[in-house]
Amino acid sequence: MVDAVIFDLDGVIVDSEPIWEEVRRGYVARHGGHWQPDSQRRLMGMSTGEWARYLSEELGVDRSPEQVATEVIDEMAARYAEHVPLIPGSIDAVNRIAERWPLGLASSSPPRLIEAALAAAGLADRFRVTLSTEQVDRGKPAPDVYLAVADRLRVEPARCAAVEDSANGVRSAAAAGMRVIAAPHGAYPLDDDAAAQATVVLSGIGELAEAHIRP
């Protein structure tokens, strides 16, 4: 039995992963760092504090983690002010599932970007709980944010379904004990181990239906 559904934001509702990569890659280049071939995969799901430390300490950016976080998020906010790119079919999918289950949101974006994205999508009132990994101890793939959203929804994690796109997101929701529906971004396919942890793998979020949520 599933009593609540928890969505990820980036890559599921908002097509923001390519923008995050462009912004952070450019930031690293401008500030003396060196982007690595696996950087984007490693960054997906990290909390703000985690990815800011990664850019500063591992990629060699000449800024403190605090400066990195502020400056990158400011640039992302400026991009969102111009345009919030939505995943095709995502709004209809959220509205469809919201008719049947209470919804939560478990995102690695900071709260100000979550608010901007949901406002642009017209979905702010669809989610009973929204939470950023900034607001828990550890980012994805740790289960913290999913466990916290389930707790605020007052639903046992095992009675929740999660909708994710990234390997670290799938790992996070699976570690929380949830049924996981994966809708991977075409540019960032799931690692094999993550795909194996998903209950269902869709070719796109527009396919999401009630039948995928029910065990």
PDB file of all heavy atoms in Angstrom, residues 140-167:
ATOM      1  N   LYS A 140      21.678  13.459  -0.937  1.00  0.00           N
ATOM      2  CA  LYS A 140      21.561  12.183  -1.625  1.00  0.00           C
ATOM      3  C   LYS A 140      22.961  11.725  -2.062  1.00  0.00           C
ATOM      4  O   LYS A 140      23.770  12.574  -2.413  1.00  0.00           O
ATOM      5  CB  LYS A 140      20.644  12.327  -2.842  1.00  0.00           C
ATOM      6  CG  LYS A 140      19.245  12.844  -2.476  1.00  0.00           C
ATOM      7  CD  LYS A 140      18.438  13.169  -3.732  1.00  0.00           C
ATOM      8  CE  LYS A 140      17.117  13.815  -3.374  1.00  0.00           C
ATOM      9  NZ  LYS A 140      16.339  14.205  -4.575  1.00  0.00           N
ATOM     10  N   PRO A 141      23.311  10.446  -1.986  1.00  0.00           N
ATOM     11  CA  PRO A 141      22.469   9.254  -1.898  1.00  0.00           C
ATOM     12  C   PRO A 141      22.065   8.824  -0.485  1.00  0.00           C
ATOM     13  O   PRO A 141      21.434   7.773  -0.345  1.00  0.00           O
ATOM     14  CB  PRO A 141      23.344   8.175  -2.544  1.00  0.00           C
ATOM     15  CG  PRO A 141      24.730   8.576  -2.196  1.00  0.00           C
ATOM     16  CD  PRO A 141      24.720  10.084  -2.273  1.00  0.00           C
ATOM     17  N   ALA A 142      22.449   9.572   0.549  1.00  0.00           N
ATOM     18  CA  ALA A 142      21.941   9.249   1.887  1.00  0.00           C
ATOM     19  C   ALA A 142      20.422   9.423   1.887  1.00  0.00           C
ATOM     20  O   ALA A 142      19.879  10.243   1.141  1.00  0.00           O
ATOM     21  CB  ALA A 142      22.588  10.142   2.930  1.00  0.00           C
ATOM     22  N   PRO A 143      19.705   8.697   2.724  1.00  0.00           N
ATOM     23  CA  PRO A 143      18.240   8.737   2.693  1.00  0.00           C
ATOM     24  C   PRO A 143      17.620   9.889   3.468  1.00  0.00           C
ATOM     25  O   PRO A 143      16.385  10.006   3.511  1.00  0.00           O
ATOM     26  CB  PRO A 143      17.861   7.403   3.344  1.00  0.00           C
ATOM     27  CG  PRO A 143      18.970   7.145   4.311  1.00  0.00           C
ATOM     28  CD  PRO A 143      20.223   7.644   3.628  1.00  0.00           C
ATOM     29  N   ASP A 144      18.436  10.756   4.056  1.00  0.00           N
ATOM     30  CA  ASP A 144      17.951  11.738   5.038  1.00  0.00           C
ATOM     31  C   ASP A 144      16.758  12.553   4.563  1.00  0.00           C
ATOM     32  O   ASP A 144      15.770  12.720   5.284  1.00  0.00           O
ATOM     33  CB  ASP A 144      19.081  12.689   5.438  1.00  0.00           C
ATOM     34  CG  ASP A 144      20.271  11.984   6.057  1.00  0.00           C
ATOM     35  OD1 ASP A 144      20.525  10.816   5.705  1.00  0.00           O
ATOM     36  OD2 ASP A 144      20.974  12.609   6.870  1.00  0.00           O
ATOM     37  N   VAL A 145      16.838  13.124   3.356  1.00  0.00           N
ATOM     38  CA  VAL A 145      15.784  14.033   2.910  1.00  0.00           C
ATOM     39  C   VAL A 145      14.477  13.280   2.681  1.00  0.00           C
ATOM     40  O   VAL A 145      13.388  13.781   3.004  1.00  0.00           O
ATOM     41  CB  VAL A 145      16.221  14.826   1.662  1.00  0.00           C
ATOM     42  CG1 VAL A 145      16.334  13.947   0.425  1.00  0.00           C
ATOM     43  CG2 VAL A 145      15.283  16.003   1.413  1.00  0.00           C
ATOM     44  N   TYR A 146      14.549  12.062   2.163  1.00  0.00           N
ATOM     45  CA  TYR A 146      13.323  11.281   1.968  1.00  0.00           C
ATOM     46  C   TYR A 146      12.700  10.879   3.295  1.00  0.00           C
ATOM     47  O   TYR A 146      11.473  10.926   3.468  1.00  0.00           O
ATOM     48  CB  TYR A 146      13.599  10.063   1.087  1.00  0.00           C
ATOM     49  CG  TYR A 146      13.561  10.410  -0.378  1.00  0.00           C
ATOM     50  CD1 TYR A 146      14.730  10.552  -1.111  1.00  0.00           C
ATOM     51  CD2 TYR A 146      12.351  10.642  -1.020  1.00  0.00           C
ATOM     52  CE1 TYR A 146      14.688  10.904  -2.449  1.00  0.00           C
ATOM     53  CE2 TYR A 146      12.294  10.997  -2.355  1.00  0.00           C
ATOM     54  CZ  TYR A 146      13.468  11.125  -3.064  1.00  0.00           C
ATOM     55  OH  TYR A 146      13.414  11.483  -4.392  1.00  0.00           O
ATOM     56  N   LEU A 147      13.531  10.477   4.247  1.00  0.00           N
ATOM     57  CA  LEU A 147      13.008  10.130   5.566  1.00  0.00           C
ATOM     58  C   LEU A 147      12.356  11.336   6.234  1.00  0.00           C
ATOM     59  O   LEU A 147      11.303  11.210   6.883  1.00  0.00           O
ATOM     60  CB  LEU A 147      14.140   9.585   6.443  1.00  0.00           C
ATOM     61  CG  LEU A 147      14.730   8.244   5.993  1.00  0.00           C
ATOM     62  CD1 LEU A 147      15.942   7.896   6.857  1.00  0.00           C
ATOM     63  CD2 LEU A 147      13.690   7.132   6.058  1.00  0.00           C
ATOM     64  N   ALA A 148      12.966  12.510   6.078  1.00  0.00           N
ATOM     65  CA  ALA A 148      12.428  13.716   6.701  1.00  0.00           C
ATOM     66  C   ALA A 148      11.098  14.133   6.081  1.00  0.00           C
ATOM     67  O   ALA A 148      10.169  14.548   6.783  1.00  0.00           O
ATOM     68  CB  ALA A 148      13.437  14.856   6.603  1.00  0.00           C
ATOM     69  N   VAL A 149      10.984  14.030   4.757  1.00  0.00           N
ATOM     70  CA  VAL A 149       9.721  14.376   4.097  1.00  0.00           C
ATOM     71  C   VAL A 149       8.622  13.399   4.515  1.00  0.00           C
ATOM     72  O   VAL A 149       7.497  13.806   4.830  1.00  0.00           O
ATOM     73  CB  VAL A 149       9.881  14.398   2.563  1.00  0.00           C
ATOM     74  CG1 VAL A 149       8.522  14.564   1.885  1.00  0.00           C
ATOM     75  CG2 VAL A 149      10.808  15.526   2.142  1.00  0.00           C
ATOM     76  N   ALA A 150       8.931  12.111   4.571  1.00  0.00           N
ATOM     77  CA  ALA A 150       7.938  11.122   5.015  1.00  0.00           C
ATOM     78  C   ALA A 150       7.481  11.419   6.432  1.00  0.00           C
ATOM     79  O   ALA A 150       6.281  11.336   6.747  1.00  0.00           O
ATOM     80  CB  ALA A 150       8.529   9.717   4.927  1.00  0.00           C
ATOM     81  N   ASP A 151       8.428  11.771   7.287  1.00  0.00           N
ATOM     82  CA  ASP A 151       8.093  12.092   8.671  1.00  0.00           C
ATOM     83  C   ASP A 151       7.147  13.288   8.741  1.00  0.00           C
ATOM     84  O   ASP A 151       6.166  13.276   9.492  1.00  0.00           O
ATOM     85  CB  ASP A 151       9.371  12.375   9.459  1.00  0.00           C
ATOM     86  CG  ASP A 151       9.094  12.684  10.921  1.00  0.00           C
ATOM     87  OD1 ASP A 151       8.620  11.784  11.644  1.00  0.00           O
ATOM     88  OD2 ASP A 151       9.347  13.839  11.348  1.00  0.00           O
ATOM     89  N   ARG A 152       7.415  14.313   7.937  1.00  0.00           N
ATOM     90  CA  ARG A 152       6.551  15.502   7.944  1.00  0.00           C
ATOM     91  C   ARG A 152       5.191  15.217   7.324  1.00  0.00           C
ATOM     92  O   ARG A 152       4.208  15.877   7.673  1.00  0.00           O
ATOM     93  CB  ARG A 152       7.250  16.662   7.234  1.00  0.00           C
ATOM     94  CG  ARG A 152       8.502  17.130   7.960  1.00  0.00           C
ATOM     95  CD  ARG A 152       9.083  18.388   7.374  1.00  0.00           C
ATOM     96  NE  ARG A 152      10.329  18.758   8.050  1.00  0.00           N
ATOM     97  CZ  ARG A 152      10.885  19.960   7.973  1.00  0.00           C
ATOM     98  NH1 ARG A 152      10.320  20.917   7.237  1.00  0.00           N
ATOM     99  NH2 ARG A 152      12.020  20.220   8.592  1.00  0.00           N
ATOM    100  N   LEU A 153       5.136  14.262   6.430  1.00  0.00           N
ATOM    101  CA  LEU A 153       3.842  13.845   5.871  1.00  0.00           C
ATOM    102  C   LEU A 153       3.091  12.907   6.805  1.00  0.00           C
ATOM    103  O   LEU A 153       1.928  12.587   6.566  1.00  0.00           O
ATOM    104  CB  LEU A 153       4.057  13.138   4.522  1.00  0.00           C
ATOM    105  CG  LEU A 153       4.438  14.001   3.325  1.00  0.00           C
ATOM    106  CD1 LEU A 153       4.866  13.120   2.164  1.00  0.00           C
ATOM    107  CD2 LEU A 153       3.285  14.906   2.899  1.00  0.00           C
ATOM    108  N   ARG A 154       3.793  12.446   7.858  1.00  0.00           N
ATOM    109  CA  ARG A 154       3.241  11.481   8.816  1.00  0.00           C
ATOM    110  C   ARG A 154       2.860  10.158   8.139  1.00  0.00           C
ATOM    111  O   ARG A 154       1.809   9.572   8.398  1.00  0.00           O
ATOM    112  CB  ARG A 154       2.048  12.076   9.572  1.00  0.00           C
ATOM    113  CG  ARG A 154       2.398  13.336  10.371  1.00  0.00           C
ATOM    114  CD  ARG A 154       1.237  13.845  11.191  1.00  0.00           C
ATOM    115  NE  ARG A 154       1.571  15.071  11.898  1.00  0.00           N
ATOM    116  CZ  ARG A 154       2.221  15.124  13.053  1.00  0.00           C
ATOM    117  NH1 ARG A 154       2.628  14.009  13.646  1.00  0.00           N
ATOM    118  NH2 ARG A 154       2.478  16.291  13.631  1.00  0.00           N
ATOM    119  N   VAL A 155       3.763   9.725   7.258  1.00  0.00           N
ATOM    120  CA  VAL A 155       3.588   8.460   6.550  1.00  0.00           C
ATOM    121  C   VAL A 155       4.867   7.648   6.720  1.00  0.00           C
ATOM    122  O   VAL A 155       5.970   8.179   6.586  1.00  0.00           O
ATOM    123  CB  VAL A 155       3.311   8.695   5.051  1.00  0.00           C
ATOM    124  CG1 VAL A 155       3.211   7.371   4.306  1.00  0.00           C
ATOM    125  CG2 VAL A 155       2.040   9.515   4.854  1.00  0.00           C
ATOM    126  N   GLU A 156       4.727   6.372   7.002  1.00  0.00           N
ATOM    127  CA  GLU A 156       5.900   5.502   7.116  1.00  0.00           C
ATOM    128  C   GLU A 156       6.637   5.460   5.775  1.00  0.00           C
ATOM    129  O   GLU A 156       5.998   5.372   4.711  1.00  0.00           O
ATOM    130  CB  GLU A 156       5.485   4.078   7.506  1.00  0.00           C
ATOM    131  CG  GLU A 156       5.000   3.951   8.935  1.00  0.00           C
ATOM    132  CD  GLU A 156       6.127   4.227   9.931  1.00  0.00           C
ATOM    133  OE1 GLU A 156       7.275   3.810   9.664  1.00  0.00           O
ATOM    134  OE2 GLU A 156       5.845   4.874  10.962  1.00  0.00           O
ATOM    135  N   PRO A 157       7.980   5.517   5.787  1.00  0.00           N
ATOM    136  CA  PRO A 157       8.724   5.483   4.518  1.00  0.00           C
ATOM    137  C   PRO A 157       8.358   4.302   3.628  1.00  0.00           C
ATOM    138  O   PRO A 157       8.275   4.444   2.396  1.00  0.00           O
ATOM    139  CB  PRO A 157      10.184   5.408   4.974  1.00  0.00           C
ATOM    140  CG  PRO A 157      10.191   6.073   6.319  1.00  0.00           C
ATOM    141  CD  PRO A 157       8.878   5.705   6.947  1.00  0.00           C
ATOM    142  N   ALA A 158       8.114   3.144   4.229  1.00  0.00           N
ATOM    143  CA  ALA A 158       7.774   1.959   3.439  1.00  0.00           C
ATOM    144  C   ALA A 158       6.422   2.089   2.740  1.00  0.00           C
ATOM    145  O   ALA A 158       6.114   1.305   1.840  1.00  0.00           O
ATOM    146  CB  ALA A 158       7.779   0.718   4.325  1.00  0.00           C
ATOM    147  N   ARG A 159       5.627   3.084   3.133  1.00  0.00           N
ATOM    148  CA  ARG A 159       4.325   3.319   2.510  1.00  0.00           C
ATOM    149  C   ARG A 159       4.356   4.539   1.590  1.00  0.00           C
ATOM    150  O   ARG A 159       3.326   5.109   1.248  1.00  0.00           O
ATOM    151  CB  ARG A 159       3.241   3.463   3.581  1.00  0.00           C
ATOM    152  CG  ARG A 159       3.082   2.191   4.429  1.00  0.00           C
ATOM    153  CD  ARG A 159       2.072   2.380   5.540  1.00  0.00           C
ATOM    154  NE  ARG A 159       0.706   2.364   5.052  1.00  0.00           N
ATOM    155  CZ  ARG A 159      -0.042   1.267   4.945  1.00  0.00           C
ATOM    156  NH1 ARG A 159       0.450   0.094   5.268  1.00  0.00           N
ATOM    157  NH2 ARG A 159      -1.296   1.336   4.524  1.00  0.00           N
ATOM    158  N   CYS A 160       5.587   4.919   1.194  1.00  0.00           N
ATOM    159  CA  CYS A 160       5.778   6.030   0.249  1.00  0.00           C
ATOM    160  C   CYS A 160       6.366   5.508  -1.055  1.00  0.00           C
ATOM    161  O   CYS A 160       7.124   4.544  -1.076  1.00  0.00           O
ATOM    162  CB  CYS A 160       6.747   7.066   0.817  1.00  0.00           C
ATOM    163  SG  CYS A 160       6.152   7.964   2.267  1.00  0.00           S
ATOM    164  N   ALA A 161       6.011   6.192  -2.134  1.00  0.00           N
ATOM    165  CA  ALA A 161       6.675   5.986  -3.425  1.00  0.00           C
ATOM    166  C   ALA A 161       7.450   7.253  -3.741  1.00  0.00           C
ATOM    167  O   ALA A 161       7.023   8.358  -3.408  1.00  0.00           O
ATOM    168  CB  ALA A 161       5.665   5.695  -4.523  1.00  0.00           C
ATOM    169  N   ALA A 162       8.605   7.085  -4.362  1.00  0.00           N
ATOM    170  CA  ALA A 162       9.442   8.229  -4.739  1.00  0.00           C
ATOM    171  C   ALA A 162       9.607   8.253  -6.249  1.00  0.00           C
ATOM    172  O   ALA A 162       9.713   7.204  -6.890  1.00  0.00           O
ATOM    173  CB  ALA A 162      10.808   8.119  -4.064  1.00  0.00           C
ATOM    174  N   VAL A 163       9.623   9.464  -6.815  1.00  0.00           N
ATOM    175  CA  VAL A 163       9.818   9.641  -8.251  1.00  0.00           C
ATOM    176  C   VAL A 163      11.133  10.381  -8.444  1.00  0.00           C
ATOM    177  O   VAL A 163      11.278  11.529  -8.010  1.00  0.00           O
ATOM    178  CB  VAL A 163       8.654  10.423  -8.893  1.00  0.00           C
ATOM    179  CG1 VAL A 163       8.848  10.509 -10.401  1.00  0.00           C
ATOM    180  CG2 VAL A 163       7.316   9.761  -8.563  1.00  0.00           C
ATOM    181  N   GLU A 164      12.096   9.731  -9.082  1.00  0.00           N
ATOM    182  CA  GLU A 164      13.464  10.237  -9.181  1.00  0.00           C
ATOM    183  C   GLU A 164      13.994  10.126 -10.611  1.00  0.00           C
ATOM    184  O   GLU A 164      13.471   9.359 -11.426  1.00  0.00           O
ATOM    185  CB  GLU A 164      14.392   9.446  -8.253  1.00  0.00           C
ATOM    186  CG  GLU A 164      14.580  10.055  -6.881  1.00  0.00           C
ATOM    187  CD  GLU A 164      15.463  11.304  -6.903  1.00  0.00           C
ATOM    188  OE1 GLU A 164      15.992  11.643  -7.977  1.00  0.00           O
ATOM    189  OE2 GLU A 164      15.610  11.921  -5.830  1.00  0.00           O
ATOM    190  N   ASP A 165      15.048  10.889 -10.881  1.00  0.00           N
ATOM    191  CA  ASP A 165      15.695  10.785 -12.198  1.00  0.00           C
ATOM    192  C   ASP A 165      17.139  10.342 -12.118  1.00  0.00           C
ATOM    193  O   ASP A 165      17.637   9.681 -13.021  1.00  0.00           O
ATOM    194  CB  ASP A 165      15.642  12.135 -12.918  1.00  0.00           C
ATOM    195  CG  ASP A 165      16.546  13.170 -12.256  1.00  0.00           C
ATOM    196  OD1 ASP A 165      16.342  13.463 -11.069  1.00  0.00           O
ATOM    197  OD2 ASP A 165      17.466  13.689 -12.922  1.00  0.00           O
ATOM    198  N   SER A 166      17.852  10.693 -11.059  1.00  0.00           N
ATOM    199  CA  SER A 166      19.297  10.469 -10.999  1.00  0.00           C
ATOM    200  C   SER A 166      19.648   9.207 -10.235  1.00  0.00           C
ATOM    201  O   SER A 166      18.872   8.707  -9.415  1.00  0.00           O
ATOM    202  CB  SER A 166      19.990  11.662 -10.337  1.00  0.00           C
ATOM    203  OG  SER A 166      19.713  11.693  -8.945  1.00  0.00           O
ATOM    204  N   ALA A 167      20.859   8.712 -10.475  1.00  0.00           N
ATOM    205  CA  ALA A 167      21.332   7.525  -9.770  1.00  0.00           C
ATOM    206  C   ALA A 167      21.386   7.772  -8.265  1.00  0.00           C
ATOM    207  O   ALA A 167      20.920   6.941  -7.471  1.00  0.00           O
ATOM    208  CB  ALA A 167      22.709   7.120 -10.295  1.00  0.00           C
TER     209      ALA A 167
END
